[in-house]
Amino acid sequence: MTNAIEQKNLKVIVFQLADKEYAIPVSHVKGIEKLMHITRVPKTARYVKGVINLRGVVTPVIDLRERFDLPISGNEETTRIIIITLETMEVGFVVDSANDVLDIDASSIEQQPEVVGSFEEEFIAGVAKLDNRLLILLHLDKVLNPLD
Amino acid sequence: MEVNQYLEMFIEESKEHLQACSEHLLELEKNPEDLAIVGEIFRSAHTLKGMSATMGFEDLADLTHKMENVLDAIRNEKIKVTPEIFDVVFESVDHLEEMVYDIADGGDGKRNVQETVAKLKNIELGEPVVAAKVLTKQTVEAPVPVEEVDFKLTYDDFEKTVILQSSEQEFNAYEISIALREDCLLKAARVFMVFEILEKNGDVIKSSPTVDKLEEEQFDNEFHVAYISKESAEDLQKMLMKVSEVDLVDVKEIGQDVFTQVTVSSAAQSEEITEAEIAATTEVVQAPVEQKANSNKASGGHATSKTIRVNIERLDILMNLFEELAIDRGRLLSIAADVNHGELNETVERMSRTMGDLQNIVLTMRMVPVETVFNRFPKMVRQLSRDLNKKIELNVIGAETELDRTVIDEIGDPLVHLIRNSVDHGIESPEVRRAKGKPAEGTVELRAYHSGNYVFIEIEDDGAGINRDRVLAKAISKGVVTHEQSLSMSDKQINELILASGFSTAEVISDVSGRGVGLDVVKTTIESLGGNISIESTQDVGSVFSIQLPLTLSIISVMLVEIESEIYAIPLSSIIETSIIRNSDILNAHNQKVIDFRGKVVPLVFLEEIFEVPRQEPKDDGFHSVVIVRKGDKLAGLVVDSFIGQQEIVLKSLGNYLTNIFAISGATILGNGKVALIVDCNALMK
């Protein structure tokens, strides 16, 4: 989230996309699901994969690789859908794999994402260095908006 | 006191009390002599005052108090009701409503009501006896009867026996009258305290009003208890007087002689009852007796229906869970069919039946009587007719008809609009009506009824009707239709022009109906609910606006169709029929492919192209499956790969992230757990 960086300790879910690791505050994660049947919704943005039946609730699913203009990969055994809630929206993110829940110390978060310097910059709220791992903190508002 | 916790309850209850006030006021206006109705209004107002004072809404409590004084004066026949007084009281109720709505919206319920307060004061002071005095006088009078046997309670045989036996065992039987102070705020709490003291020292045999009613504060300030105890009357009186806000306690001993008198009255009572009923248990006899006793007292005959309020979100969750079960049921059924195990089959079948019943219950839980919308109209029409100097009677029929909660929430505004329209444009002024040979008083009838899978709401007036020539002239001048088009229009079509956007027939935009929006908004709202509206009208005789609404928004019948491997649902309500056509049946008109459907040229819509369905290999076997759909009087043929069949589905929204998807109105979950999209036929036709 936007103000996530100001908090002292942050619990995050870590997931993999291409060769990078990303993080989302656990408070916005409603669940992690295995890949299931996705119904395509016509005339929507390219990265909107469609909708799934999440225990009776029709939930839209976004392919994060496509959202970040990363090369598209086939579905693997490890592919997961992370269900995110943001305000009144509930959306699933398709990611390569979801591996970890971590506590990040606020002091280890850097605001400037210069190190990353790629096209997904605008979606990034900050980066956190943990030992020799680099976690990219997502800016959920931006990932979900604008929808065009 | 933690106020927030009770706020919602307070708001809901206040609305109910205000609604009761309005209803009874309208009733009273028709029978100004009936003081029992004044009592009803007074009680509602009184409770409202108590509640709002407890919740700290001083302005609300204050205005209610002033209104209550006036009502009290009427009740005690110190003031005669006049139309002017009605206006002021209605005005007060309006203010109170505004305040409550303000509180509901998070405000503090403050409002400038000085004018109304001043008017109420004037009414009150118009008489030499101030209302407040009357009150005290009355409360003093009631509980202190001069040493005559004046018991407030009646007893059945069982109770009599108990009392008689208790006296044999050296218990004393008392009848205790307790009067609470007029400004007592927590009546139920005081009642509780009184009962606590009583129960510590003896046994309560019965009370009037009944304990339930006492707990619900459904009594004025006074209640009576039949009681047995070893304590002396004097001690009891002292103990009870210790409860704060208790004004008076009167303890009378019940002697055996009492019953001779009581028996007479209950015997008289039984005479009215047929023999068969006498044969029944004493309870049956007791019921009417008790009712009679209560009718002089607090109980206003308000049958409290046993309901609880449930957040609609919880119902939605329940619905989702239920659907999951339904999906699993489908799987179980197919597994059972495969395994073909007798006992399993039986169990699964039984489970299916239970689930069918359960489904009915879950769905009907969302149903609410239209009354909740209709009940605001009598007052509105009264106010409008006064503003417009017209005489109008509103008849409401079928208020108990039930509709889905989501529809109820949406339908209020369109109805307000239509009723205003009928009152303003429909009903003529009394002079004009007389000149036309009609009664001076116009009638507006609001009807609701079920028919098939629909609910119909109709608004009928016996007013001027629609002037076709004027409507047509206006429509042509506003460019809604061309002159050529107008020549071939049916009367019904012309009537319905007033629903077209950018149309208003009122020569002068009046306060009442001219709010910058036309009836087109009504039409749009109703259509968005999956309903439609039609108008019938005869000039100088009247008009009927008829609204057809689906019973529920959550379940609809659809035709499932397949395109490549994707399944779409097309609402049955827009389907006329399905047909299979040959390639050679398709004609080309300009750039549009059309077919000849029963002599009508119907454009084809290839859903595959509209929905950009990815195709593995082109499908061409020389035939096309076509679903003929309609929007108003326009037709279109939706081309699909194949029909799967008709099914009842539960409508789901696509959520807040995917909004305004072209030609998709929602989604549903199929038996196999997959999501299917619902086609919005209206969007496919211009």
Side-chain angles (χ1 to χ4, degrees):
Chain A
M1 231 340 248
T2 357
N3 57 357
I5 305 153
E6 285 125 46
Q7 290 167 12
K8 267 203 163 171
N9 254 316
L10 193 61
K11 205 181 254 309
V12 294
I13 299 270
V14 179
F15 61 90
Q16 191 111 21
L17 267 188
D19 50 355
K20 289 183 202 127
E21 282 194 300
Y22 296 80
I24 300 173
V26 87
S27 53
H28 287 288
V29 177
K30 206 185 149 201
I32 300 173
E33 305 286 330
K34 284 202 172 163
L35 203 59
M36 56 181 98
H37 180 270
I38 300 178
T39 301
R40 192 182 64 89
V41 180
K43 306 242 166 169
T44 47
R46 186 178 30 80
Y47 52 80
V48 175
K49 289 273 100 178
V51 288
I52 56 167
N53 164 20
L54 188 70
R55 283 178 285 281
V57 181
V58 176
T59 310
V61 172
I62 293 173
D63 189 329
L64 273 198
R65 273 189 180 248
E66 293 225 34
R67 185 74 176 112
F68 297 162
D69 284 326
L70 297 170
I72 298 155
S73 75
N75 292 330
E76 308 284 335
E77 186 55 29
T78 55
T79 306
R80 290 287 179 274
I81 302 174
I82 302 183
I83 310 295
I84 305 293
T85 53
L86 185 70
E87 282 152 37
T88 58
M89 279 189 278
E90 206 164 284
V91 179
F93 287 163
V94 180
V95 300
D96 290 358
S97 65
N99 348 42
D100 240 335
V101 181
L102 286 180
D103 278 313
I104 305 182
D105 196 327
S107 60
S108 68
I109 299 174
E110 289 170 40
Q111 196 116 25
Q112 295 296 326
E114 279 162 23
V115 259
V116 183
S118 71
F119 30 68
E120 73 256 50
E121 248 175 285
E122 56 168 317
F123 303 129
I124 293 170
V127 290
K129 235 178 117 202
L130 255 87
D131 303 328
N132 39 14
R133 290 165 87 179
L134 190 70
L135 299 181
I136 303 166
L137 284 144
L138 282 188
H139 203 308
L140 286 180
D141 286 320
K142 296 257 170 73
V143 177
L144 292 179
N145 283 308
L147 179 71
D148 41 40
Chain B
M1 179 167 170
E2 181 52 70
V3 166
N4 283 337
Q5 192 186 341
Y6 303 108
L7 192 59
E8 204 174 315
M9 206 159 55
F10 165 76
I11 291 166
E12 285 303 318
E13 282 187 18
S14 304
K15 282 182 188 167
E16 273 165 27
H17 283 300
L18 286 170
Q19 184 59 42
C21 282
S22 307
E23 275 167 20
H24 286 124
L25 276 170
L26 288 166
E27 212 178 301
L28 182 66
E29 202 172 21
K30 283 182 197 141
N31 318 297
E33 302 301 319
D34 192 345
L35 293 178
I37 306 176
V38 187
E40 290 293 332
I41 306 168
F42 181 82
R43 259 191 289 283
S44 290
H46 188 71
T47 317
L48 182 67
K49 178 182 82 172
M51 289 196 309
S52 37
T54 317
M55 297 292 290
F57 298 114
E58 296 299 337
D59 283 18
L60 197 58
D62 203 41
L63 179 57
T64 324
H65 181 70
K66 298 281 185 325
M67 186 172 95
E68 203 186 302
N69 286 346
V70 171
L71 290 170
D72 196 60
I74 298 173
R75 187 168 70 157
N76 291 302
E77 297 179 69
K78 304 288 171 199
I79 301 179
K80 259 199 106 51
V81 272
T82 63
E84 289 70 39
I85 293 180
F86 268 115
D87 280 344
V88 178
V89 178
F90 269 119
E91 194 179 307
S92 319
V93 174
D94 278 342
H95 279 307
L96 292 173
E97 261 171 8
E98 292 291 335
M99 286 166 159
V100 172
Y101 280 108
D102 181 47
I103 293 167
D105 291 339
D108 54 4
K110 292 214 183 299
R111 195 180 163 85
N112 186 0
V113 290
Q114 279 176 350
E115 206 180 310
T116 313
V117 170
K119 281 188 210 161
L120 287 170
K121 266 228 168 93
N122 282 343
I123 297 173
E124 204 183 317
L125 295 173
E127 297 292 327
V129 187
V130 187
K133 265 186 203 162
V134 180
L135 252 181
T136 43
K137 213 168 115 198
Q138 186 209 22
T139 42
V140 170
E141 265 172 14
V144 191
V146 199
E147 285 303 306
E148 64 188 19
V149 189
D150 176 24
F151 289 101
K152 304 290 194 299
L153 291 166
T154 48
Y155 303 94
D156 61 25
D157 290 343
F158 172 73
E159 286 154 357
K160 275 183 253 174
T161 320
V162 172
I163 291 168
L164 286 174
Q165 282 177 355
S166 66
S167 65
E168 283 162 21
Q169 288 165 13
E170 293 178 359
F171 277 90
N172 301 316
Y174 299 107
E175 183 164 319
I176 307 174
S177 301
I178 295 127
L180 298 178
R181 279 214 328 252
E182 207 267 320
D183 57 353
C184 172
L185 291 180
L186 296 163
K187 290 199 292 185
R190 301 305 164 215
V191 171
F192 176 78
M193 290 161 82
V194 167
F195 271 74
E196 206 179 35
I197 293 175
L198 290 175
E199 274 156 14
K200 245 186 225 164
N201 299 297
D203 285 307
V204 176
I205 295 171
K206 76 180 293 177
S207 71
S208 163
T210 58
V211 180
D212 290 354
K213 296 231 163 82
L214 289 172
E215 278 170 2
E216 285 165 21
E217 302 201 348
Q218 287 188 19
F219 66 106
D220 266 355
N221 290 309
E222 199 182 320
F223 60 97
H224 312 278
V225 177
Y227 181 63
I228 49 172
S229 166
K230 286 197 170 165
E231 302 287 333
S232 72
E234 215 171 280
D235 287 354
L236 280 174
Q237 206 232 1
K238 275 184 196 152
M239 277 189 265
L240 292 175
M241 283 304 286
K242 286 232 155 56
V243 176
S244 51
E245 294 188 303
V246 167
D247 202 13
L248 274 166
V249 175
D250 176 45
V251 185
K252 277 195 301 275
E253 210 161 328
I254 309 179
Q256 293 188 15
D257 52 320
V258 175
F259 296 127
T260 49
Q261 187 199 0
V262 175
T263 333
V264 172
S265 78
S266 70
Q269 187 74 41
S270 351
E271 267 167 35
E272 294 163 19
I273 303 165
T274 59
E275 287 201 320
E277 271 169 317
I278 293 174
T281 57
T282 43
E283 270 173 64
V284 181
V285 184
Q286 182 201 346
V289 174
E290 209 172 288
Q291 250 174 32
K292 205 163 194 186
N294 284 350
S295 66
N296 324 328
K297 301 237 94 47
S299 110
H302 259 296
T304 36
S305 63
K306 289 194 177 163
T307 52
I308 52 165
R309 287 176 219 282
V310 181
N311 190 325
I312 197 138
E313 270 171 38
R314 288 198 190 159
L315 286 184
D316 284 342
I317 295 171
L318 180 67
M319 193 93 144
N320 284 338
L321 289 174
F322 179 78
E323 274 157 43
E324 264 189 83
L325 262 184
I327 292 163
D328 288 340
R329 169 185 60 177
R331 284 187 193 141
L332 258 180
L333 276 171
S334 69
I335 293 170
D338 289 347
V339 176
N340 203 12
H341 183 284
E343 237 174 290
L344 178 64
N345 276 337
E346 215 175 278
T347 316
V348 171
E349 243 168 58
R350 221 181 19 244
M351 195 188 88
S352 287
R353 264 201 306 277
T354 318
M355 286 203 48
D357 296 346
L358 193 57
Q359 178 170 14
N360 269 336
I361 303 250
V362 171
L363 290 176
T364 48
M365 274 195 329
R366 299 170 55 95
M367 304 299 268
V368 182
V370 277
E371 196 182 357
T372 48
V373 182
F374 281 10
N375 60 20
R376 63 170 123 149
F377 296 133
K379 201 170 89 188
M380 187 184 99
V381 169
R382 177 193 181 271
Q383 192 59 45
L384 286 176
S385 47
R386 286 185 78 86
D387 289 351
L388 296 164
N389 284 324
K390 292 180 180 178
K391 282 189 179 161
I392 296 165
E393 172 156 347
L394 177 73
N395 294 327
V396 179
I397 296 166
E400 70 286 347
T401 312
E402 290 189 327
L403 258 176
D404 191 282
R405 180 62 205 248
T406 37
V407 183
I408 294 264
D409 290 344
E410 295 290 324
I411 198 66
D413 287 346
L415 286 182
V416 168
H417 223 85
L418 289 174
I419 292 175
R420 281 171 180 276
N421 184 69
S422 281
V423 170
D424 194 13
H425 303 313
I427 306 283
E428 314 90 330
S429 63
E431 301 77 49
V432 176
R433 289 182 66 89
R434 264 190 225 108
K436 285 183 183 174
K438 295 190 199 178
E441 188 178 60
T443 314
V444 176
E445 193 167 285
L446 182 59
R447 284 190 296 265
Y449 57 91
H450 281 288
S451 177
N453 255 341
Y454 291 93
V455 167
F456 288 83
I457 298 178
E458 294 177 348
I459 296 144
E460 179 169 2
D461 66 64
D462 63 348
I466 293 170
N467 184 329
R468 292 210 172 94
D469 300 335
R470 242 175 75 198
V471 168
L472 257 188
K474 193 115 179 180
I476 293 169
S477 78
K478 294 221 170 184
V480 179
V481 288
T482 62
H483 184 66
E484 292 76 51
Q485 281 173 321
S486 72
L487 295 175
S488 62
M489 286 177 89
S490 69
D491 285 353
K492 201 164 158 51
Q493 282 172 320
I494 294 171
N495 286 340
E496 279 158 26
L497 277 177
I498 64 169
L499 301 172
S501 60
F503 194 95
S504 174
T505 39
E507 306 279 281
V508 185
I509 289 179
S510 72
D511 251 7
V512 178
S513 56
R515 299 213 162 183
V517 282
L519 288 172
D520 54 322
V521 181
V522 173
K523 191 180 157 98
T524 323
T525 317
I526 290 168
E527 282 179 354
S528 74
L529 291 171
N532 67 63
I533 174 168
S534 63
I535 306 173
E536 271 173 49
S537 177
T538 315
Q539 205 171 340
D540 290 336
V541 176
S543 325
V544 185
F545 289 78
S546 179
I547 302 169
Q548 181 188 8
L549 290 166
L551 213 48
T552 163
L553 286 186
S554 41
I555 291 215
I556 57 170
S557 289
V558 295
M559 170 81 150
L560 293 180
V561 298
E562 197 166 26
I563 306 163
E564 187 72 24
S565 60
E566 297 184 357
I567 293 173
Y568 290 90
I570 302 172
L572 227 51
S573 56
S574 31
I575 298 180
I576 292 184
E577 65 176 86
T578 57
S579 88
I580 309 272
I581 55 162
R582 284 168 198 283
N583 273 356
S584 55
D585 294 335
I586 299 178
L587 312 167
N588 275 308
H590 301 291
N591 289 325
Q592 177 69 57
K593 287 185 171 166
V594 299
I595 50 166
D596 182 350
F597 175 74
R598 302 188 198 289
K600 237 182 159 179
V601 175
V602 173
L604 288 182
V605 179
F606 289 83
L607 282 190
E608 174 189 341
E609 288 166 24
I610 300 276
F611 292 153
E612 297 159 344
V613 181
R615 273 255 188 238
Q616 305 301 332
E617 49 191 75
K619 168 195 170 290
D620 195 8
D621 50 7
F623 291 95
H624 292 283
S625 303
V626 181
V627 184
I628 311 284
V629 293
R630 110 193 123 85
K631 176 195 182 184
D633 46 2
K634 290 191 198 93
L635 299 181
L638 308 184
V639 183
V640 299
D641 283 4
S642 60
F643 310 129
I644 296 175
Q646 189 188 326
Q647 201 174 320
E648 300 255 295
I649 57 153
V650 178
L651 209 101
K652 303 262 174 176
S653 100
L654 287 174
N656 288 333
Y657 181 68
L658 294 175
T659 49
N660 298 321
I661 305 288
F662 175 72
I664 298 293
S665 61
T668 187
I669 293 166
L670 300 173
N672 60 7
K674 290 182 187 169
V675 180
L677 301 175
I678 298 165
V679 180
D680 178 4
C681 297
N682 288 339
L684 293 174
M685 285 178 266
K686 290 239 172 81

